[in-house]
Amino acid sequence: MIEGIGASSGIAMGKAFVIPTWEWDFPDKLIDVADLAYEFERLYDGIHHSKVEIEQIKQEFVSVLGEEQTQIFDAHLAILEDPIFMSEVQGIMQRQYKAAEVAVKEAIDKFVNMFDLLDDHYMKERALDIKDVGNRLLKHLLGALEETLPPKNQPYILVAKELIPSQMVHLDVNQTMGIVTMMGGKTSHVAIMARAMSVPYVLGLEGKLQTPIQNGDYLIIDGDEGIVYVNPEEEIIRQYEARRESWKAVQEQLQKLAHLPSQTEDGWQMNLAANISSVKELDLVIRNGASGVGLFRTEFLYMDRSTFPQEEEQFVVYREVAERLQGKPVVIRTLDIGGDKHLDYLALPEEENPSLGYRAIRVMLDRTDLFKTQLRAILRASHYGSVKIMYPMISSLEELHRANELLEEAKQELREAKVPFSEEVEVGIMIELPASVMISDLLAQEVDFFSIGTNDLVQYVLAVDRMNEQVAHLYDPYHPAVLRMLKMIVDNAKRFKTHVSVCGELAGDIRALPIWLSLGIKELSMSVQAILKVKNSLLQSKYSDTEGIWDELSKCTSSSAVIKVLGRYLETDLAEETKPHWPASGCC
């Protein structure tokens, strides 16, 4: 058994197809000054053919990933048009009289090495995009063939040192049972594409294999646990076959709960909403019976492209979400960029600790042009459904007031242009900073709703960077300090009749359900895949059983003690998959 990182959930079992490690290797070819014009012509011709090829790939793959996901290839086109990259290539050719392919290879190596040295997961993953585009250009300059891909008529688990998006494009999703890579990241384009394709994916096996995986090796990969077995014993295979069938059966049964009321046995109703990043996820949101979208992360609209999305483009997306939800609410979070989320075309200052730096609302209050463009698009969409606006990373009343001033300016601009929007659109904030927790009584008097962002809140309360492997084990959402902050937020919200919801990983963790019930929380927003599991636990719970839980939790001195208390309030065994439960008054 090899422990990696689960990047896309599910279990896959089958034979490996290994893409060999591949690097360009050719001599340092010099040219005569008289040939320089010809080499530039070769370079520009190669760029042209690369662009045409990328556009064709994008069109071929749009039916699999959808329009938004294929904007990955817009980023690749942007690299070929990037003046810094091209200036580097041209400079090498002009100053050192090197052939076009040699100059391109040196430029690729320079930028890839530069990004790899940065202490930034996002930038390391963007190095793969440069390598992908550069290799495509080299292919056209050298006339080299594409590397061999798996057969189309035989299921396989793809194994590679690392993958690039263009390789993913050529995969047959009906034959690709799973993916294993030695390198990569959970936020990489390949991971995004794997999740969109519902292909189990485990990464991060570099240095963990005693011998390399070979073509034909039998693999079991567990995308949830991040585990890979290579040529396992028959007993392990039987266990996973049974587990896979059991998992499928549970999913089929859970699906029957989709349109049942979300309530406890004694009638306490709780809305279970979805966190989404793209329109493509709406099919599953609707299929799983979500009460709406509790968090629409708009960052994806801005990523993997070369320019900011215009107001009209954003409006079309927000309107589609609002219309397809047919009256169910959608909470649209304004752009939360910075930290570990970057835009190639937005120059942000380099920071030693970007999570504590220039990000989210702090950026948007400076770039009021970008902020108002997004606000106008959201407001316009509010005419077509139940749309709410949410500001991220609010730490003071001054930030909230300034954001609302800009919102009012955007409203006035629409009024003057006679563009319809809802004058009653609700405005809320993310509570994800200790500062906003401590002044939540003041904030509650000025907003329509709170959404508790548990991921960042835990990180900031405990001073733990969850992306840092050295301290990730200290990231503990059940720490008594976190629970006390949750209690403070909810108490202050109730005092001023401000609606509270919870989003983030903790909202989708069934162990935390007694916490939300005891606090009187009536809305959770989580990943779409978690909704039916949480609903199943909710149907088996009793609100009345949790009324005294805070007396016990307040006395807990550790997260293990907290989890032990919570376990007694759940009727299911937390170590096992739960069986679907239907209320006595319900039907399936």
Side-chain angles (χ1 to χ4, degrees):
M1 182 182 76
I2 305 102
E3 293 186 7
I5 300 170
S8 181
S9 64
I11 295 171
M13 305 172 68
K15 292 185 177 181
F17 181 91
V18 182
I19 296 180
T21 302
W22 170 80
E23 298 287 347
W24 290 103
D25 187 17
F26 45 79
D28 194 0
K29 180 183 176 183
L30 299 178
I31 58 172
D32 191 271
V33 66
D35 296 326
L36 194 57
Y38 171 70
E39 287 300 309
F40 274 116
E41 185 178 341
R42 289 181 60 228
L43 174 65
Y44 300 142
D45 189 58
I47 291 171
H48 170 73
H49 283 94
S50 297
K51 286 182 176 179
V52 170
E53 192 171 59
I54 291 171
E55 286 285 4
Q56 290 174 341
I57 289 171
K58 178 181 175 181
Q59 294 306 314
E60 291 172 4
F61 215 56
V62 70
S63 62
V64 177
L65 291 182
E67 287 285 352
E68 292 176 56
Q69 301 279 15
T70 51
Q71 289 175 357
I72 288 168
F73 301 106
D74 291 335
H76 286 197
L77 290 169
I79 292 171
L80 288 171
E81 297 169 351
D82 184 83
I84 297 175
F85 178 73
M86 294 314 302
S87 176
E88 182 70 23
V89 174
Q90 293 167 339
I92 294 170
M93 295 172 67
Q94 289 175 323
R95 292 190 301 270
Q96 302 178 39
Y97 298 106
K98 292 187 176 181
E101 63 269 20
V102 178
V104 169
K105 178 64 163 60
E106 288 189 10
I108 295 171
D109 291 344
K110 175 181 176 178
F111 285 105
V112 168
N113 291 336
M114 180 175 67
F115 282 12
D116 280 341
L117 289 173
L118 294 175
D119 187 20
D120 186 305
H121 293 280
Y122 179 87
M123 298 306 289
K124 288 177 185 292
E125 290 163 4
R126 297 294 74 79
L128 277 180
D129 294 315
I130 294 177
K131 187 180 292 186
D132 189 358
V133 173
N135 284 338
R136 184 175 302 283
L137 179 53
L138 285 174
K139 181 196 72 173
H140 288 293
L141 291 171
L142 295 170
L145 297 175
E146 293 274 11
E147 56 268 43
T148 303
L149 288 175
K152 294 184 178 181
N153 57 354
Q154 180 179 342
Y156 56 85
I157 294 177
L158 188 69
V159 180
K161 181 174 182 180
E162 60 184 1
L163 285 176
I164 49 183
S166 62
Q167 289 172 312
M168 290 286 287
V169 165
H170 295 291
L171 298 182
D172 184 343
V173 294
N174 296 316
Q175 301 295 334
T176 308
M177 297 183 291
I179 301 171
V180 175
T181 60
M182 306 303 109
M183 303 173 68
K186 293 184 73 171
T187 59
S188 68
H189 287 148
V190 169
I192 292 170
M193 295 170 79
R195 289 192 288 270
M197 296 161 65
S198 297
V199 176
Y201 179 22
V202 176
L203 55 85
L205 270 62
E206 183 78 355
K208 298 179 181 179
L209 292 167
Q210 293 183 346
T211 58
I213 298 173
Q214 304 291 331
N215 273 331
D217 281 346
Y218 189 86
L219 303 182
I220 298 175
I221 71 170
D222 185 336
D224 294 290
E225 300 295 330
I227 294 172
V228 176
Y229 288 90
V230 182
N231 296 320
E233 296 179 356
E234 286 296 325
E235 179 59 26
I236 298 293
I237 294 174
R238 284 194 294 270
Q239 289 176 9
Y240 267 87
E241 285 176 341
R243 182 176 168 185
R244 183 174 59 181
E245 292 306 309
S246 176
W247 182 86
K248 289 180 180 178
V250 167
Q251 301 311 304
E252 291 174 0
Q253 293 298 313
L254 284 174
Q255 196 61 50
K256 297 177 181 180
L257 305 180
H259 299 292
L260 290 179
S262 296
Q263 61 184 32
T264 61
E265 286 187 357
D266 49 359
W268 176 268
Q269 293 189 338
M270 181 180 286
N271 291 329
L272 303 180
N275 299 335
I276 67 169
S277 301
S278 68
V279 173
K280 186 175 178 60
E281 297 170 74
L282 283 177
D283 288 338
L284 196 54
V285 170
I286 295 167
R287 181 169 179 260
N288 283 2
S291 63
V293 170
L295 172 61
F296 184 8
R297 302 182 182 96
T298 59
E299 293 77 58
F300 201 90
L301 285 173
Y302 292 75
M303 292 181 177
D304 302 315
R305 55 188 298 143
S306 57
T307 59
F308 290 104
Q310 297 300 307
E311 179 182 326
E312 188 65 24
E313 181 182 350
Q314 294 188 56
F315 162 65
V316 169
V317 173
Y318 304 149
R319 174 179 174 173
E320 181 178 352
V321 175
E323 289 182 330
R324 290 189 61 189
L325 287 175
Q326 298 182 333
K328 293 180 178 180
V330 51
V331 178
I332 301 178
R333 184 176 68 185
T334 59
L335 182 61
D336 185 1
I337 208 66
D340 62 343
K341 292 172 283 189
H342 299 264
L343 304 179
D344 294 337
Y345 51 88
L346 176 62
L348 295 177
E350 291 189 12
E351 301 173 294
E352 290 189 10
N353 196 334
S355 292
L356 299 180
Y358 192 53
R359 56 170 294 199
I361 199 67
R362 299 169 181 177
V363 176
M364 300 306 275
L365 292 182
D366 283 346
R367 291 298 305 269
T368 57
D369 55 329
L370 301 179
F371 194 35
K372 285 172 65 177
T373 295
Q374 184 176 36
L375 290 173
R376 285 194 301 271
I378 299 172
L379 286 169
R380 289 171 60 190
S382 70
H383 181 66
Y384 299 91
S386 178
V387 173
K388 303 179 183 182
I389 298 173
M390 181 164 66
Y391 307 135
M393 197 87 177
I394 292 292
S395 62
S396 68
L397 285 168
E398 289 81 4
E399 287 174 334
L400 176 59
H401 292 161
R402 180 55 181 150
N404 279 337
E405 287 174 5
L406 294 169
L407 176 62
E408 185 54 40
E409 289 179 18
K411 287 182 177 181
Q412 186 58 33
E413 290 168 5
L414 293 178
R415 292 186 191 107
E416 292 174 358
K418 299 190 184 317
V419 176
F421 67 93
S422 172
E423 292 280 1
E424 306 302 321
V425 63
E426 292 187 14
V427 178
I429 60 173
M430 294 279 287
I431 300 289
E432 52 191 335
L433 302 178
S436 61
V437 175
M438 300 309 295
I439 62 169
S440 55
D441 58 330
L442 303 177
L443 292 168
Q445 300 176 59
E446 306 207 24
V447 297
D448 296 305
F449 64 90
F450 287 162
S451 182
I452 304 174
T454 58
N455 295 357
D456 271 343
L457 181 60
V458 174
Q459 176 171 251
Y460 290 125
V461 168
L462 301 181
V464 173
D465 179 359
R466 52 200 165 98
M467 301 298 289
N468 185 334
E469 293 182 2
Q470 300 300 314
V471 296
H473 65 284
L474 298 174
Y475 181 86
D476 182 1
Y478 293 99
H479 192 292
V482 174
L483 267 61
R484 293 183 184 204
M485 287 216 166
L486 294 174
K487 185 73 162 62
M488 181 182 294
I489 297 165
V490 175
D491 285 348
N492 283 330
K494 286 180 178 178
R495 180 179 165 193
F496 296 100
K497 296 181 173 55
T498 302
H499 177 73
V500 184
S501 64
V502 182
C503 63
E505 294 300 316
L506 196 58
D509 187 339
I510 61 173
R511 296 176 298 177
L513 187 57
I515 296 176
W516 314 131
L517 290 171
S518 65
L519 287 173
I521 294 291
K522 290 200 169 185
E523 181 173 346
L524 303 175
S525 189
M526 62 200 73
S527 66
V528 184
Q529 292 82 359
I531 289 174
L532 294 179
K533 281 188 177 181
V534 173
K535 178 181 278 191
N536 186 47
S537 292
L538 181 67
L539 292 170
Q540 299 179 68
S541 301
K542 289 184 179 180
Y543 173 70
S544 59
D545 287 345
T546 65
E547 290 178 339
I549 194 173
W550 273 103
D551 290 337
E552 295 184 67
L553 293 177
S554 64
K555 299 172 184 176
C556 292
T557 59
S558 66
S559 60
S560 59
V562 168
I563 292 173
K564 186 176 180 181
V565 170
L566 295 175
R568 294 203 304 270
Y569 284 84
L570 289 170
E571 294 184 5
T572 55
D573 184 349
L574 297 177
E576 298 179 359
E577 288 281 2
T578 59
K579 294 183 178 180
H581 173 83
W582 291 269
S585 59
C587 62
C588 53

